Amino acid sequence: MYMTIGLQRFAEQPKYTEVNPGQDALLVCKVIDKRGVCSWQKDNKPVGIYPKKYEWASQYGIGQTAHVGGDCSLWVRAAQLEFDDGLWECQVTASDFTTQDALTSQPVRLVVRVPPQRPRLEHEGVHVPPGHNVTVDSGAVATVKCVSHYGNPPAQLKWFLGDQEISPIHPQTNSTEPDNPRTWSAASVVQIPANKERHGTVLKCLALHESYAARSVAVEARLDVKYAPTVRLLGAPQIDLEEGKDSLILRCVADANPPASIVWRRAGRSEIASLQESLQLRPVGRRDAGLYTCQAQNSVGTSDTMSVQLDVKYAPKILSAGPDRLTTAPLFSPAAFECVAEGNPTPTYKWVQRISTQGKPFLDRGRESRLVIDNVTYDYQGEYECRATNFINGQERTVTSDPIALQVVGAPQVLRTTSATGGVAGHSVSVRKGDSATLSLIVCADPRPRHVAWEWGSLRLEAGSGIGRYRVDDVTQDSREDCYLATLHIDDADLQDQRPYYLVVENERGTDRHAISLRVEGMFSVVEPLELSYLLGIAGGCLAAFLILICLCIYAVRARKCCFRNRNNYKTSEKDR
């Protein structure tokens, strides 16, 4: 009868192990119901037990044949790359030749660490030295490779774009170095779509390895993305530019890589306005007005065109006013003047006539560049000015022409009265009875009047003569050219002096006759309308009372007669009785 014996089996197999050079490494191998003999292989070759190099971890080790939970673990002392780095297997011989329960573990790597070289970047197969750029055109894809050589195990590579981790296009590849098969080369590749926004961004490859002092080493490069220029315009005027006063600096700022060249042009001209970023106009003039464009260009392409319209304002300037400095026009004929001015904005026009009226030295005559007088009278004689006006930044700019004279020739023309009461031609002058009356009229004539007289009724008094209470002054020069003052004085005015008085003026071109009426007021003529109404009311009331009184008298007389008649009848009847 045979005793049943359990088969050997692993309780714990060796695991992947890393160790720094010169350090000890423990390869764990534990077996349940171990009866066979433990041994180790490295790279498919048996490894012997050597003190201070390869030693059993358990003191019972090889001489123990009946040990439950047998420990076959192995110490590798002072690990070295050339001797100890490789694939290790734990083996146990069968319990006996009939059992066939021999054990062999999975091969595991004991790695004796070797610090990799500093990682390096490659772009399009060319090494990118640290601190240099990865240059790529906008719209293209930058393919960058990170390689870490001669490490054991291979370094773990990670990628960062800016502060963000990015993924490679495929998993990292590791391969042994041809000249040192015990070390490894690690490689990882990323592809980055290049655009303008990524220009200047830092691309970093981070190599992680336990042998590094800081556990990691990084290599960086900046993305140098080449892109066509875009431009923006600075300094465009926000207010009106005035000629001779304002200056202007326009800047065409280009965003480009590589840097772009700038070209300023002016519409309608073949020559280049400027090749600098700034276009300076100090100060601006009207010839600077127009459409300006700027454009930038580099090796990648050309920007869109930016444009700005410059409008230079300038105050008005009279170019001509006339047709002549002196114009002679016959009375009642048409006359015209024309004024031409330049300015920006386009100026407005105003024609004014100089007059001598107190408080108003000018009289508006027109609001167009051309002043047309359809019917010239002596009122229009005098000096005229053309005024051209525009506004720049809310401020008025006005220029005035040299004076233009209008000379009127023709028959006399009576213009107006100038009496103490302020009477106007065609109206009457009022005085109190017994006061002196003065009748005055202004008459204009060119040539000068040769006869001036006042007429009323059958009387005619020439200028400078008088009769009785009537006196005519000599004609005096008025403040206006070719105008004269004719005055009639009447002393101790009486009611019989109320009438029209006619001024008769004559020169070699004709005659004019004009009337002004005199009204002489008596004592009651100045009663106020309210007092007159009151008097009329009293008079009406008195009249009504008088009529009532008459009616009562008539009624009383008739009533008396009736009473007498009745009394006579009464007495007669009494007699009869």
Side-chain angles (χ1 to χ4, degrees):
M1 186 173 181
Y2 296 96
M3 182 183 298
T4 302
I5 301 174
L7 298 179
Q8 300 179 128
R9 59 188 182 278
F10 282 115
E12 185 177 356
Q13 296 192 46
K15 297 180 180 177
Y16 174 85
T17 303
E18 291 186 13
V19 63
N20 290 329
Q23 292 181 344
D24 296 341
L26 176 63
L27 300 178
V28 177
C29 180
K30 293 184 179 182
V31 181
I32 298 174
D33 293 333
K34 181 179 78 68
R35 289 181 174 77
V37 177
C38 295
S39 66
W40 286 85
Q41 281 196 156
K42 172 183 169 291
D43 297 330
N44 296 320
K45 293 181 180 180
V47 175
I49 302 301
Y50 301 100
K52 298 184 180 179
K53 183 58 179 175
Y54 304 124
E55 298 177 346
W56 296 113
S58 171
Q59 60 179 342
Y60 298 102
I62 214 165
Q64 186 175 352
T65 58
H67 179 72
V68 177
D71 188 357
C72 297
S73 299
L74 180 71
W75 278 106
V76 178
R77 306 291 186 183
Q80 299 179 30
L81 176 67
E82 60 270 30
F83 299 118
D84 304 320
D85 186 89
L87 294 174
W88 289 74
E89 298 175 15
C90 176
Q91 297 179 343
V92 181
T93 61
S95 300
D96 58 49
F97 74 95
T98 62
T99 309
Q100 298 296 309
D101 59 353
L103 301 176
T104 300
S105 69
Q106 294 291 330
V108 294
R109 178 169 290 279
L110 172 61
V111 176
V112 181
R113 298 188 185 111
V114 176
Q117 293 180 351
R118 182 184 181 90
R120 55 184 286 169
L121 297 179
E122 297 177 2
H123 177 232
E124 296 181 351
V126 178
H127 172 56
V128 181
H132 284 59
N133 298 329
V134 173
T135 302
V136 61
D137 289 342
S138 178
V141 175
T143 301
V144 184
K145 184 178 183 180
C146 181
V147 180
S148 174
H149 288 288
Y150 298 106
N152 191 41
Q156 181 184 359
L157 303 178
K158 289 188 176 183
W159 288 97
F160 294 85
L161 185 61
D163 294 330
Q164 177 142 15
E165 185 176 357
I166 58 176
S167 299
I169 59 175
H170 48 69
Q172 169 181 326
T173 58
N174 302 314
S175 59
T176 57
E177 298 286 357
D179 57 340
N180 188 353
R182 293 189 177 277
T183 59
W184 297 82
S185 172
S188 181
V189 179
V190 291
Q191 288 186 333
I192 304 170
N195 53 46
K196 174 181 174 180
E197 289 70 25
R198 284 178 169 165
H199 174 66
T201 305
V202 174
L203 177 65
K204 179 170 67 175
C205 174
L206 184 67
L208 303 175
H209 199 278
E210 289 295 325
S211 294
Y212 289 139
R215 300 293 190 268
S216 66
V217 173
V219 62
E220 296 180 352
R222 289 188 179 272
L223 291 182
D224 179 26
V225 181
K226 293 184 176 181
Y227 53 90
T230 58
V231 294
R232 56 193 178 98
L233 197 61
L234 301 179
Q238 303 299 314
I239 60 172
D240 291 340
L241 297 174
E242 186 171 358
E243 181 180 39
K245 290 185 61 177
D246 297 322
S247 297
L248 179 66
I249 300 177
L250 290 173
R251 293 182 59 211
C252 184
V253 180
D255 180 15
N257 185 38
S261 58
I262 306 293
V263 177
W264 281 96
R265 289 185 173 87
R266 183 175 170 184
R269 296 189 181 182
S270 58
E271 67 269 17
I272 293 174
S274 175
L275 291 175
Q276 303 298 320
E277 180 183 273
S278 297
L279 175 65
Q280 301 187 22
L281 303 173
R282 298 175 179 267
V284 294
R286 69 188 69 183
R287 296 184 62 185
D288 296 324
L291 180 66
Y292 289 82
T293 62
C294 78
Q295 195 172 38
Q297 184 176 15
N298 65 5
S299 59
V300 180
T302 303
S303 72
D304 293 335
T305 299
M306 292 291 291
S307 61
V308 58
Q309 181 74 44
L310 294 187
D311 185 18
V312 180
K313 308 295 185 182
Y314 49 93
K317 178 182 179 181
I318 303 283
L319 301 180
S320 64
D324 299 306
R325 298 292 296 277
L326 174 62
T327 298
T328 301
L331 185 66
F332 303 129
S333 67
F337 303 111
E338 187 166 9
C339 182
V340 178
E342 65 175 358
N344 187 24
T346 303
T348 59
Y349 294 90
K350 182 168 74 171
W351 283 95
V352 297
Q353 179 187 358
R354 291 183 178 178
I355 58 177
S356 59
T357 303
Q358 185 176 5
K360 188 178 181 182
F362 295 99
L363 180 65
D364 288 355
R365 287 299 190 185
R367 296 281 178 165
E368 303 292 336
S369 63
R370 182 174 174 82
L371 174 63
V372 177
I373 305 172
D374 295 324
N375 188 26
V376 171
T377 64
Y378 288 105
D379 284 329
Y380 290 98
Q381 181 167 267
E383 289 188 338
Y384 288 78
E385 293 178 354
C386 170
R387 296 178 181 177
T389 302
N390 66 8
F391 289 84
I392 300 176
N393 289 322
Q395 297 182 352
E396 181 180 301
R397 304 282 194 271
T398 298
V399 64
T400 302
S401 71
D402 293 332
I404 301 168
L406 174 62
Q407 182 73 40
V408 181
V409 296
Q413 184 185 23
V414 177
L415 298 184
R416 57 186 173 85
T417 61
T418 56
S419 65
T421 58
V424 180
H427 293 78
S428 62
V429 175
S430 298
V431 297
R432 283 174 176 261
K433 180 182 177 182
D435 291 345
S436 296
T438 299
L439 306 180
S440 296
L441 290 172
I442 292 178
V443 61
C444 296
D446 188 7
R448 183 185 177 93
R450 59 187 179 187
H451 293 295
V452 176
W454 286 88
E455 295 179 349
W456 67 97
S458 60
L459 293 179
R460 176 186 173 93
L461 284 180
E462 296 287 338
S465 64
I467 180 173
R469 294 182 295 111
Y470 307 98
R471 183 179 76 257
V472 177
D473 291 342
D474 287 327
V475 173
T476 59
Q477 179 71 45
D478 188 59
S479 59
R480 299 173 57 180
E481 183 183 2
D482 296 331
C483 293
Y484 309 92
L485 181 65
T487 305
L488 169 64
H489 299 281
I490 303 174
D491 297 332
D492 193 17
D494 199 356
L495 293 175
Q496 64 184 5
D497 293 324
Q498 290 193 137
R499 65 174 71 236
Y501 292 83
Y502 294 89
L503 174 63
V504 180
V505 186
E506 178 186 353
N507 70 1
E508 61 188 51
R509 291 180 178 266
T511 303
D512 193 16
R513 188 170 186 266
H514 194 78
I516 182 171
S517 296
L518 176 65
R519 188 177 65 181
V520 181
E521 299 173 346
M523 180 179 299
F524 299 105
S525 62
V526 295
V527 177
E528 292 295 331
L530 182 59
E531 296 175 349
L532 182 59
S533 300
Y534 181 74
L535 293 175
L536 290 176
I538 293 175
C542 292
L543 179 60
F546 180 74
L547 291 175
I548 293 172
L549 182 59
I550 291 174
C551 290
L552 290 175
C553 290
I554 292 172
Y555 176 81
V557 171
R558 287 183 178 179
R560 184 178 181 82
K561 286 182 180 180
C562 181
C563 289
F564 286 138
R565 185 165 50 248
N566 291 338
R567 181 179 299 177
N568 290 337
N569 292 338
Y570 176 74
K571 289 179 178 180
T572 302
S573 63
E574 283 184 345
K575 286 181 178 181
D576 291 343
R577 283 188 301 189

